[in-house]
Amino acid sequence: MDHAADALRTDLMTITRYVLNEQSKHPESRGDFTILLSHIVLGCKFVCSSVNKAGLAKLIGLAGETNVQGEEQKKLDVLSNDVFVKALVSSGRTCILVSEEDEEATFVEPALRGRYCVVFDPLDGSSNIDCGVSIGTIFGVYMVKDFTEPTLDQALQPGKNMVAAGYCMYGSSCTLVLSTGSGVNGFTLDPSLGEFILTHPDIKIPKKGKIYSVNEGNAKNWDGPTAKYVENCKFPKEGSSPKSLRYIGSMVADVHRTLLYGGIFLYPADKKSPSGKLRVLYEVFPMSFLMEQAGGQAFTGKERVKTCFLPVVV
Ligand code: FDP
């Protein structure tokens, strides 16, 4: 990349401009998705800013405590959930929200209902919050046929029915990766402009990768084929080089690296978690959507993730 030319670039493709361009390819479109996305983007910017300030503002792990103004502090994951729920409801384009943070689905009040159902994990990788390692938001979007009377089964659809999915990674930079079903694009937040700029157009996962990514601490509970696969990554047949192991323990960051550098990320089912640890609806389906859109694959170990309900491997 020519960084000097980049610095002089003035014709910036912001995420809003990108989505409006896409919208114009569909004359029948009423702009509902563009509005929904702008509210998701606002949520991502808010959470990014909170994550950046967390150490100073003491947002980390302090739920229930009070700050100097006597206000109750919220933990970062609780705060992120509040932010996204409010942003999504106020978009006027959603009818059902399913969040990792809430036990029950949220049914949007009739006056604010729209035709989308959003499933999301507002702050994934929580074990990494307190040590400043990359964390992220994951989201998937379904279209609901009759949004005047939404029901829970309209949110519990297989991954193949998703119309869009993405994640925002809060790391050394803030990166939003999005697919609306025709490829994958990555946008990086320019803090000086407050805008996500297209920096990774048409992401394609490299055909071959040299990295495997898994929590090997769970190896004693794996089944035979999983153990054999990972063993082969480390001790391949004669003539091949071993793969490198990278594991952050934050799905957004591990998937992001896998999208850009190639390789495999897996969280297999084991004796302790027979259905796997990752949550199907708002972690595995959106990431599988992105992986496939980037030319990769997502398997449960037995079948394609997007067509099933109990995936364990991405
Ligand atoms: P976390 O529990 O920290 O929220 O599914 C959640 C998740 O993180 C993923 O982001 C991550 O890939 C995985 O769990 C990490 O699990 P282990 O700590 O068991 O490796």
Side-chain angles (χ1 to χ4, degrees), residues 262-284:
I264 181 168
F265 165 71
L266 60 159
Y267 207 113
D270 60 28
K271 285 182 206 140
K272 236 171 66 192
S273 312
S275 303
K277 180 185 176 190
L278 303 178
R279 273 62 58 100
V280 176
L281 194 59
Y282 36 75
E283 291 184 319
V284 180

Side-chain angles (χ1 to χ4, degrees), residues 57-75 78:
K58 297 202 170 167
L59 280 167
I60 294 171
L62 290 177
E65 294 195 8
T66 49
N67 65 13
V68 282
Q69 280 90 33
E71 298 160 333
E72 189 171 310
Q73 298 270 311
K74 285 184 179 173
K75 261 168 119 177
V78 178

Side-chain angles (χ1 to χ4, degrees), residues 213-254:
S213 182
V214 65
N215 184 345
E216 278 207 72
N218 295 329
K220 85 174 169 86
N221 290 320
W222 288 344
D223 63 16
T226 306
K228 199 168 158 203
Y229 175 80
V230 173
E231 193 65 8
N232 193 51
C233 289
K234 296 191 284 189
F235 301 99
K237 287 187 207 97
E238 234 134 294
S240 321
S241 309
K243 294 191 187 302
S244 295
L245 169 64
R246 299 278 186 278
Y247 187 69
I248 298 165
S250 192
M251 191 189 189
V252 171
D254 281 315

Side-chain angles (χ1 to χ4, degrees), residues 107-114 148:
F107 289 90
V108 177
E109 62 178 276
L112 286 171
R113 274 182 201 155
T148 51

